[in-house]
């Protein structure tokens, strides 16, 4: 059985596991899968750039955040 591919609630972009973790970290710790957003839409929502968000992901990984394991 194929694993369900997560998609952005706004633009249908595929969501990878880092993006999912960042949703939980920056938007809502209990964000349900169907409410996840891609980095592009998250950047628009948060008024920052996709690059900023990628930096955040690296930062959280570096700090060994449990959501990013
Ligand atoms: Zn999107």
């Amino acid at each position: 059985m194929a694993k369900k591919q997560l998609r952005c609630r706004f633009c249908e972009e595929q969501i990878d596991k880092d993006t999912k973790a960042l949703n939980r970290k920056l938007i809502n710790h209990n964000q349900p899968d169907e409410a996840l957003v891609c980095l592009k839409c998250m950047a628009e929502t948060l008024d920052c750039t996709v690059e900023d968000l990628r930096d955040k992901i690296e930062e959280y990984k570096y700090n060994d955040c449990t959501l990013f394991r």
Side-chain angles (χ1 to χ4, degrees), residues 5-53:
Q5 176 61 56
L6 298 173
R7 300 212 175 252
C8 173
R9 66 195 274 207
F10 297 123
C11 72
E12 305 273 294
E13 185 76 25
Q14 291 192 5
I15 306 264
D16 63 21
K17 99 180 173 353
D18 289 342
T19 304
K20 178 175 167 174
L22 198 63
N23 271 264
R24 300 248 152 96
K25 191 84 185 170
L26 295 181
I27 299 178
N28 180 351
H29 204 88
N30 297 308
Q31 187 94 320
D33 284 353
E34 57 273 18
L36 296 171
V37 298
C38 69
L39 290 184
K40 186 166 68 69
C41 293
M42 206 190 304
E44 278 174 26
T45 306
L46 300 174
D47 200 20
C48 64
T49 67
V50 170
E51 269 312 302
D52 290 337
L53 295 176

